[in-house]
Amino acid sequence: MEPNTPEEVRAYLGFTAEDADMLRRFWPTLRPEARRIVQAFYDRLSQFPGARRVLQDDKQVHRLKGSLEGWLQELFE
């Protein structure tokens, strides 16, 4: 059975409290670069024809970028 909740995902991956502490300590360094990292991710993704076919709607891509940036913040905080 695949993990569904964040707790299940962490357990599945063997993610420890020490791992969480490390990410929290790194977040102040990463935070100013988060938007650039997300943009670089989507720039790379757009190089693949299959991804381009799916990600044609600019509004959708904008929402997805916001979701990814939020996910990064949640992960690192």
Side-chain angles (χ1 to χ4, degrees):
M1 188 156 132
E2 291 186 26
N4 294 310
T5 67
E7 294 80 16
E8 290 173 333
V9 171
R10 285 191 291 272
Y12 181 79
L13 296 174
F15 193 80
T16 66
E18 292 81 17
D19 297 325
D21 285 340
M22 180 184 62
L23 290 179
R24 274 192 292 279
R25 287 191 310 270
F26 185 64
W27 179 239
T29 302
L30 179 66
R31 180 183 300 145
E33 300 299 324
R35 186 159 289 151
R36 186 185 63 76
I37 291 166
V38 168
Q39 183 61 51
F41 174 81
Y42 276 92
D43 287 348
R44 178 70 176 131
L45 198 57
S46 71
Q47 294 177 5
F48 295 93
R52 279 197 309 273
R53 282 192 297 275
V54 174
L55 301 172
Q56 293 182 6
D57 182 340
D58 289 339
K59 289 180 182 179
Q60 174 197 30
V61 172
H62 181 73
R63 285 191 307 272
L64 289 169
K65 286 178 181 179
S67 294
L68 181 53
E69 197 169 333
W71 179 83
L72 281 173
Q73 182 173 350
E74 285 182 35
L75 175 66
F76 282 84
E77 288 184 335

XYZ file of all heavy atoms in Angstrom:
648
model
N 0.841 -1.181 0.000
C 0.000 0.000 0.000
C 0.884 1.242 0.000
O 1.859 1.317 0.744
C -0.895 -0.017 1.232
C -1.927 1.061 1.235
S -3.285 0.556 2.286
C -3.488 2.005 3.252
N 0.550 2.207 -0.838
C 1.347 3.425 -0.933
C 1.009 4.376 0.209
O -0.131 4.433 0.659
C 1.079 4.114 -2.266
C 1.616 3.333 -3.439
C 1.479 4.101 -4.732
O 1.436 5.348 -4.687
O 1.412 3.451 -5.773
N 2.012 5.135 0.657
C 1.748 6.102 1.730
C 0.867 7.245 1.224
O 0.973 7.658 0.075
C 3.147 6.595 2.106
C 3.991 6.334 0.909
C 3.390 5.141 0.220
N 0.001 7.741 2.104
C -0.921 8.812 1.720
C -0.707 10.089 2.519
O -0.795 11.173 1.973
C -2.373 8.351 1.881
C -2.716 7.243 0.916
O -2.466 7.358 -0.265
N -3.259 6.166 1.420
N -0.490 9.957 3.790
C -0.342 11.138 4.633
C 1.135 11.533 4.702
O 2.018 10.708 4.442
C -0.841 10.863 6.064
O 0.029 9.897 6.673
C -2.277 10.358 6.065
N 1.407 12.791 5.056
C 2.822 13.189 5.210
C 3.575 12.294 6.190
O 4.729 11.950 5.966
C 2.733 14.625 5.725
C 1.430 15.129 5.212
C 0.504 13.933 5.237
N 2.898 11.890 7.264
C 3.543 11.012 8.244
C 3.897 9.663 7.628
O 4.974 9.119 7.878
C 2.632 10.809 9.464
C 2.392 12.063 10.268
C 1.322 12.983 9.662
O 0.539 12.541 8.776
O 1.301 14.162 10.047
N 2.979 9.116 6.816
C 3.240 7.840 6.154
C 4.383 7.959 5.151
O 5.203 7.047 5.035
C 1.980 7.323 5.454
C 0.896 6.877 6.402
C -0.397 6.535 5.699
O -0.661 7.101 4.605
O -1.154 5.718 6.233
N 4.420 9.068 4.438
C 5.503 9.282 3.467
C 6.839 9.348 4.201
O 7.822 8.730 3.781
C 5.262 10.555 2.629
C 6.483 10.897 1.792
C 4.035 10.386 1.750
N 6.885 10.117 5.301
C 8.136 10.212 6.072
C 8.575 8.838 6.576
O 9.749 8.485 6.493
C 7.969 11.200 7.220
C 7.975 12.645 6.769
C 8.088 13.601 7.939
N 6.916 13.628 8.772
C 5.857 14.422 8.586
N 5.842 15.264 7.572
N 4.838 14.400 9.403
N 7.630 8.063 7.093
C 7.965 6.730 7.593
C 8.450 5.834 6.449
O 9.431 5.102 6.589
C 6.757 6.109 8.288
N 7.769 5.899 5.310
C 8.122 5.097 4.145
C 9.545 5.404 3.684
O 10.300 4.517 3.303
C 7.117 5.382 3.032
C 7.340 4.603 1.754
C 6.944 3.280 1.645
C 7.937 5.216 0.652
C 7.135 2.579 0.463
C 8.131 4.517 -0.526
C 7.732 3.195 -0.613
O 7.921 2.504 -1.776
N 9.915 6.686 3.734
C 11.238 7.116 3.285
C 12.309 6.996 4.366
O 13.485 7.214 4.093
C 11.186 8.574 2.800
C 10.323 8.841 1.577
C 10.244 10.331 1.307
C 10.858 8.097 0.371
N 11.893 6.680 5.592
C 12.851 6.620 6.682
C 13.315 8.008 7.109
O 14.436 8.189 7.581
N 12.459 9.000 6.950
C 12.769 10.391 7.257
C 12.690 10.588 8.767
O 11.649 10.370 9.375
C 11.750 11.273 6.530
C 12.094 12.724 6.495
C 13.006 13.206 5.582
C 11.486 13.615 7.367
C 13.316 14.547 5.527
C 11.785 14.953 7.319
C 12.700 15.425 6.402
N 13.772 11.013 9.366
C 13.857 11.109 10.824
C 13.694 12.545 11.317
O 13.722 13.496 10.533
C 15.221 10.598 11.310
O 16.236 11.504 10.825
C 15.505 9.182 10.809
N 13.578 12.692 12.631
C 13.524 14.017 13.249
C 14.816 14.781 12.964
O 14.794 16.005 12.768
C 13.294 13.887 14.745
N 15.930 14.072 12.912
C 17.208 14.711 12.586
C 17.193 15.252 11.157
O 17.713 16.334 10.895
C 18.375 13.741 12.774
C 18.639 13.351 14.216
C 17.706 12.248 14.731
O 17.058 11.550 13.904
O 17.591 12.116 15.954
N 16.592 14.504 10.242
C 16.457 14.974 8.858
C 15.625 16.257 8.815
O 15.971 17.209 8.123
C 15.791 13.908 7.978
C 16.606 12.633 7.867
O 17.854 12.713 7.845
O 15.990 11.553 7.812
N 14.530 16.263 9.575
C 13.668 17.448 9.611
C 14.424 18.651 10.165
O 14.302 19.762 9.641
C 12.421 17.160 10.454
N 15.208 18.436 11.219
C 16.008 19.534 11.787
C 16.985 20.086 10.759
O 17.169 21.299 10.651
C 16.778 19.062 13.022
C 15.890 18.908 14.230
O 14.786 19.489 14.262
O 16.318 18.198 15.167
N 17.621 19.205 10.000
C 18.574 19.629 8.988
C 17.881 20.503 7.933
O 18.395 21.545 7.536
C 19.232 18.421 8.319
C 20.237 18.785 7.241
S 20.920 17.354 6.387
C 19.454 16.647 5.648
N 16.695 20.076 7.486
C 15.971 20.852 6.480
C 15.560 22.215 7.034
O 15.667 23.224 6.341
C 14.741 20.088 5.993
C 15.022 18.850 5.145
C 13.714 18.184 4.749
C 15.852 19.181 3.922
N 15.098 22.242 8.287
C 14.707 23.524 8.894
C 15.896 24.480 8.978
O 15.759 25.670 8.730
C 14.121 23.297 10.284
C 12.651 22.984 10.276
C 12.050 23.046 11.665
N 12.528 21.999 12.539
C 12.075 20.751 12.552
N 11.128 20.386 11.714
N 12.560 19.865 13.384
N 17.067 23.959 9.306
C 18.260 24.807 9.384
C 18.673 25.321 8.005
O 19.220 26.411 7.893
C 19.421 24.043 10.028
C 19.254 23.839 11.517
C 20.525 23.330 12.186
N 21.133 22.186 11.537
C 20.863 20.906 11.812
N 19.987 20.601 12.736
N 21.470 19.939 11.164
N 18.401 24.559 6.961
C 18.790 24.945 5.609
C 17.810 25.934 4.974
O 18.176 26.684 4.071
C 18.931 23.695 4.732
C 19.442 23.983 3.357
C 20.707 24.506 3.159
C 18.644 23.745 2.252
C 21.179 24.783 1.880
C 19.105 24.012 0.970
C 20.370 24.537 0.787
N 16.572 25.971 5.431
C 15.542 26.780 4.800
C 15.917 28.264 4.690
O 15.682 28.871 3.634
C 14.203 26.605 5.506
C 13.113 27.428 4.906
C 12.375 28.372 5.540
C 12.640 27.406 3.552
N 11.467 28.936 4.684
C 11.609 28.362 3.442
C 12.983 26.687 2.418
C 10.934 28.605 2.257
C 12.313 26.941 1.234
C 11.300 27.878 1.161
N 16.494 28.919 5.697
C 16.848 30.333 5.521
C 17.803 30.570 4.343
O 17.761 31.624 3.709
C 17.510 30.709 6.847
C 16.907 29.768 7.841
C 16.735 28.468 7.071
N 18.634 29.596 4.031
C 19.537 29.705 2.887
C 18.781 29.475 1.582
O 19.010 30.165 0.585
C 20.683 28.681 3.013
O 21.366 28.916 4.239
C 21.643 28.773 1.848
N 17.882 28.523 1.593
C 17.136 28.159 0.392
C 16.019 29.145 0.065
O 15.751 29.410 -1.112
C 16.546 26.757 0.557
C 15.704 26.227 -0.595
C 16.579 26.026 -1.824
C 15.009 24.957 -0.209
N 15.377 29.717 1.065
C 14.190 30.556 0.867
C 14.374 31.620 -0.219
O 13.526 31.742 -1.100
C 13.777 31.216 2.172
C 12.541 32.093 2.003
C 12.156 32.802 3.280
N 11.873 31.831 4.303
C 12.159 32.005 5.592
N 12.716 33.117 6.005
N 11.860 31.075 6.463
N 15.472 32.387 -0.205
C 15.606 33.424 -1.239
C 15.742 32.867 -2.654
O 15.522 33.585 -3.633
C 16.885 34.168 -0.842
C 17.173 33.795 0.560
C 16.546 32.451 0.771
N 16.089 31.596 -2.782
C 16.294 30.976 -4.101
C 15.127 30.099 -4.538
O 15.143 29.566 -5.648
C 17.571 30.128 -4.069
C 18.828 30.913 -3.743
C 19.111 32.002 -4.763
O 18.847 31.798 -5.961
O 19.585 33.072 -4.351
N 14.107 29.960 -3.696
C 13.018 29.014 -3.980
C 12.339 29.314 -5.310
O 12.124 28.410 -6.118
C 12.008 29.008 -2.838
N 12.006 30.572 -5.573
C 11.317 30.905 -6.822
C 12.197 30.598 -8.029
O 11.729 30.083 -9.045
C 10.908 32.373 -6.810
C 10.060 32.724 -8.024
C 9.240 33.951 -7.819
N 8.176 33.624 -6.865
C 7.625 34.508 -6.041
N 8.007 35.745 -6.053
N 6.669 34.145 -5.216
N 13.487 30.880 -7.930
C 14.416 30.599 -9.025
C 14.535 29.093 -9.247
O 14.582 28.612 -10.384
C 15.788 31.198 -8.723
C 16.772 31.068 -9.886
C 18.159 31.557 -9.495
N 18.746 30.772 -8.424
C 19.269 29.538 -8.581
N 19.258 28.958 -9.755
N 19.794 28.900 -7.560
N 14.552 28.323 -8.168
C 14.645 26.864 -8.269
C 13.399 26.304 -8.954
O 13.493 25.442 -9.841
C 14.852 26.241 -6.875
C 16.246 26.597 -6.364
C 14.630 24.731 -6.900
C 16.462 26.331 -4.890
N 12.234 26.811 -8.559
C 10.984 26.359 -9.184
C 10.981 26.712 -10.665
O 10.606 25.897 -11.509
C 9.770 26.963 -8.446
C 8.485 26.764 -9.236
C 9.646 26.359 -7.047
N 11.414 27.922 -10.996
C 11.460 28.327 -12.403
C 12.421 27.426 -13.192
O 12.104 26.994 -14.303
C 11.884 29.791 -12.540
C 11.880 30.288 -13.974
C 10.501 30.216 -14.599
O 9.529 30.698 -14.030
N 10.402 29.621 -15.782
N 13.573 27.127 -12.621
C 14.542 26.248 -13.290
C 13.951 24.856 -13.503
O 14.155 24.234 -14.558
C 15.833 26.166 -12.476
N 13.196 24.373 -12.528
C 12.538 23.070 -12.650
C 11.575 23.069 -13.838
O 11.597 22.167 -14.680
C 11.803 22.741 -11.344
C 10.974 21.495 -11.422
C 11.559 20.253 -11.277
C 9.601 21.564 -11.631
C 10.795 19.095 -11.350
C 8.833 20.418 -11.702
C 9.433 19.180 -11.559
N 10.740 24.100 -13.928
C 9.771 24.156 -15.028
C 10.439 24.448 -16.367
O 9.972 23.971 -17.407
C 8.644 25.134 -14.711
C 7.582 24.450 -13.881
C 7.625 24.481 -12.498
C 6.580 23.713 -14.486
C 6.678 23.810 -11.734
C 5.634 23.040 -13.742
C 5.688 23.091 -12.364
O 4.757 22.412 -11.629
N 11.522 25.200 -16.354
C 12.270 25.407 -17.598
C 12.783 24.071 -18.122
O 12.701 23.783 -19.318
C 13.446 26.364 -17.378
C 13.014 27.808 -17.189
O 11.837 28.140 -17.446
O 13.867 28.606 -16.756
N 13.319 23.267 -17.227
C 13.832 21.952 -17.626
C 12.696 21.040 -18.071
O 12.794 20.345 -19.079
C 14.608 21.331 -16.453
C 15.152 19.957 -16.733
C 16.292 19.999 -17.732
N 16.843 18.672 -17.886
C 17.072 18.102 -19.052
N 16.850 18.751 -20.161
N 17.570 16.896 -19.110
N 11.613 21.054 -17.306
C 10.465 20.219 -17.641
C 9.930 20.544 -19.033
O 9.533 19.654 -19.780
C 9.377 20.442 -16.583
C 8.275 19.429 -16.438
C 8.824 18.040 -16.170
C 7.328 19.848 -15.341
N 9.962 21.826 -19.386
C 9.417 22.241 -20.683
C 10.260 21.770 -21.862
O 9.840 21.891 -23.011
C 9.265 23.761 -20.734
O 10.533 24.379 -20.813
N 11.419 21.212 -21.592
C 12.262 20.685 -22.667
C 11.802 19.314 -23.152
O 12.290 18.823 -24.161
C 13.720 20.622 -22.208
C 14.307 21.996 -21.951
C 15.726 21.916 -21.421
O 16.318 20.847 -21.317
N 16.274 23.068 -21.086
N 10.857 18.720 -22.437
C 10.370 17.387 -22.792
C 9.028 17.504 -23.504
O 8.095 18.122 -22.987
C 10.232 16.517 -21.539
C 11.554 16.249 -20.880
C 12.009 17.080 -19.859
C 12.352 15.196 -21.292
C 13.232 16.847 -19.247
C 13.582 14.965 -20.691
C 14.023 15.790 -19.673
N 8.916 16.935 -24.708
C 7.682 17.069 -25.495
C 6.432 16.635 -24.735
O 5.400 17.312 -24.810
C 7.929 16.182 -26.715
C 9.417 16.121 -26.841
C 9.944 16.183 -25.429
N 6.509 15.546 -24.000
C 5.336 15.072 -23.256
C 4.890 16.076 -22.213
O 3.693 16.323 -22.036
N 5.836 16.667 -21.526
C 5.503 17.673 -20.512
C 4.932 18.920 -21.180
O 3.976 19.518 -20.676
C 6.740 18.018 -19.689
N 5.493 19.318 -22.297
C 4.985 20.496 -23.013
C 3.525 20.305 -23.430
O 2.729 21.236 -23.375
C 5.830 20.812 -24.239
C 7.087 21.583 -23.915
C 7.688 22.236 -25.152
N 7.873 21.323 -26.271
C 8.962 20.567 -26.457
N 9.973 20.641 -25.621
N 9.053 19.762 -27.505
N 3.190 19.076 -23.841
C 1.811 18.805 -24.247
C 0.850 18.969 -23.076
O -0.278 19.417 -23.237
C 1.686 17.393 -24.832
C 2.191 17.282 -26.247
C 1.791 15.969 -26.897
N 2.357 14.798 -26.231
C 3.577 14.302 -26.479
N 4.364 14.885 -27.376
N 4.001 13.233 -25.849
N 1.287 18.600 -21.899
C 0.435 18.673 -20.709
C 0.405 20.080 -20.126
O -0.617 20.530 -19.619
C 0.922 17.664 -19.638
C 0.161 17.824 -18.342
C 0.807 16.239 -20.159
N 1.511 20.781 -20.198
C 1.650 22.084 -19.541
C 1.524 23.234 -20.544
O 2.395 24.089 -20.637
C 2.994 22.154 -18.805
C 3.215 21.088 -17.744
C 4.636 21.136 -17.226
C 2.213 21.239 -16.611
N 0.429 23.273 -21.259
C 0.229 24.315 -22.268
C -0.490 25.542 -21.730
O -0.361 26.625 -22.281
C -0.557 23.747 -23.444
C 0.215 22.721 -24.217
C -0.567 22.205 -25.405
O -1.650 22.683 -25.726
N -0.013 21.209 -26.084
N -1.236 25.397 -20.681
C -2.039 26.493 -20.129
C -1.197 27.313 -19.154
O -0.771 26.823 -18.117
C -3.253 25.898 -19.415
C -4.197 26.938 -18.847
O -3.793 28.099 -18.655
O -5.356 26.568 -18.578
N -0.925 28.563 -19.498
C -0.074 29.421 -18.669
C -0.620 29.587 -17.258
O 0.137 29.632 -16.287
C 0.110 30.793 -19.310
C 0.991 30.734 -20.547
O 1.759 29.765 -20.700
O 0.912 31.687 -21.356
N -1.949 29.694 -17.131
C -2.547 29.834 -15.795
C -2.305 28.580 -14.956
O -2.018 28.662 -13.761
C -4.041 30.126 -15.898
C -4.335 31.516 -16.416
C -5.828 31.752 -16.490
C -6.111 33.128 -17.057
N -7.546 33.379 -17.169
N -2.426 27.423 -15.590
C -2.185 26.164 -14.896
C -0.733 26.090 -14.442
O -0.455 25.730 -13.298
C -2.508 24.973 -15.815
C -2.137 23.639 -15.195
C -2.060 22.513 -16.214
O -1.748 22.755 -17.378
N -2.320 21.299 -15.772
N 0.190 26.438 -15.316
C 1.615 26.388 -14.974
C 1.908 27.359 -13.832
O 2.644 27.021 -12.904
C 2.495 26.672 -16.206
C 3.954 26.820 -15.816
C 2.317 25.570 -17.249
N 1.312 28.532 -13.859
C 1.492 29.510 -12.788
C 1.019 28.925 -11.454
O 1.707 29.052 -10.428
C 0.738 30.796 -13.120
C 0.892 31.858 -12.101
N 2.050 32.580 -11.936
C 0.030 32.313 -11.163
C 1.900 33.432 -10.943
N 0.678 33.294 -10.460
N -0.154 28.281 -11.460
C -0.666 27.648 -10.227
C 0.256 26.528 -9.763
O 0.534 26.397 -8.567
C -2.077 27.094 -10.458
C -3.156 28.149 -10.501
C -4.550 27.526 -10.468
N -4.768 26.511 -11.492
C -5.194 26.747 -12.722
N -5.457 27.978 -13.101
N -5.371 25.759 -13.577
N 0.734 25.721 -10.710
C 1.623 24.618 -10.351
C 2.931 25.129 -9.750
O 3.443 24.559 -8.786
C 1.908 23.742 -11.577
C 0.745 22.890 -12.055
C 1.067 22.284 -13.414
C 0.399 21.820 -11.043
N 3.450 26.203 -10.302
C 4.678 26.795 -9.751
C 4.434 27.266 -8.315
O 5.266 27.048 -7.434
C 5.161 27.959 -10.611
C 5.780 27.540 -11.915
C 6.173 28.761 -12.725
C 6.768 28.400 -14.058
N 7.121 29.598 -14.842
N 3.288 27.901 -8.093
C 2.952 28.337 -6.734
C 2.819 27.162 -5.780
O 3.273 27.223 -4.636
N 2.216 26.073 -6.264
C 2.073 24.877 -5.437
C 3.434 24.285 -5.099
O 3.679 23.878 -3.955
C 1.234 23.817 -6.152
O -0.086 24.272 -6.318
N 4.323 24.229 -6.069
C 5.654 23.675 -5.828
C 6.434 24.545 -4.852
O 7.101 24.037 -3.949
C 6.425 23.503 -7.134
C 7.824 22.901 -7.024
C 7.821 21.571 -6.268
C 8.438 22.741 -8.400
N 6.319 25.848 -5.006
C 7.009 26.743 -4.078
C 6.455 26.566 -2.659
O 7.207 26.514 -1.684
C 6.856 28.193 -4.534
C 7.854 29.109 -3.890
C 7.881 30.487 -4.534
O 7.550 30.615 -5.732
O 8.233 31.425 -3.817
N 5.138 26.438 -2.542
C 4.534 26.178 -1.231
C 4.968 24.848 -0.656
O 5.214 24.731 0.550
N 5.051 23.826 -1.504
C 5.489 22.511 -1.054
C 6.920 22.570 -0.529
O 7.232 21.977 0.504
C 5.368 21.505 -2.204
C 5.814 20.144 -1.836
C 5.089 19.185 -1.197
C 7.111 19.574 -2.067
N 5.848 18.050 -1.028
C 7.106 18.263 -1.543
C 8.271 20.056 -2.669
C 8.208 17.440 -1.610
C 9.375 19.228 -2.722
C 9.339 17.944 -2.203
N 7.786 23.303 -1.235
C 9.163 23.445 -0.761
C 9.198 24.093 0.619
O 9.938 23.652 1.505
C 9.993 24.280 -1.739
C 10.506 23.585 -2.978
C 11.164 24.608 -3.907
C 11.485 22.493 -2.621
N 8.391 25.123 0.785
C 8.358 25.805 2.074
C 7.887 24.856 3.164
O 8.480 24.786 4.242
C 7.436 27.031 2.009
C 7.405 27.804 3.302
C 6.629 29.090 3.168
O 6.256 29.516 2.088
N 6.361 29.726 4.287
N 6.823 24.112 2.898
C 6.318 23.147 3.885
C 7.374 22.093 4.205
O 7.571 21.725 5.363
C 5.053 22.458 3.379
C 3.840 23.332 3.422
C 2.604 22.586 2.945
O 2.497 21.370 3.214
O 1.764 23.219 2.293
N 8.033 21.603 3.181
C 9.051 20.572 3.380
C 10.178 21.067 4.272
O 10.612 20.370 5.180
C 9.623 20.133 2.022
C 10.784 19.140 2.069
C 10.300 17.793 2.623
C 11.375 18.966 0.685
N 10.633 22.286 4.025
C 11.801 22.787 4.733
C 11.475 23.452 6.069
O 12.357 23.663 6.863
C 12.614 23.725 3.837
C 13.436 22.990 2.843
C 12.895 22.578 1.637
C 14.756 22.676 3.118
C 13.664 21.867 0.717
C 15.528 21.969 2.212
C 14.978 21.562 1.010
N 10.225 23.827 6.272
C 9.868 24.407 7.567
C 9.437 23.327 8.507
O 9.456 23.419 9.676
C 8.772 25.458 7.411
C 9.284 26.722 6.765
C 8.242 27.821 6.687
O 7.033 27.511 6.674
O 8.651 28.983 6.620
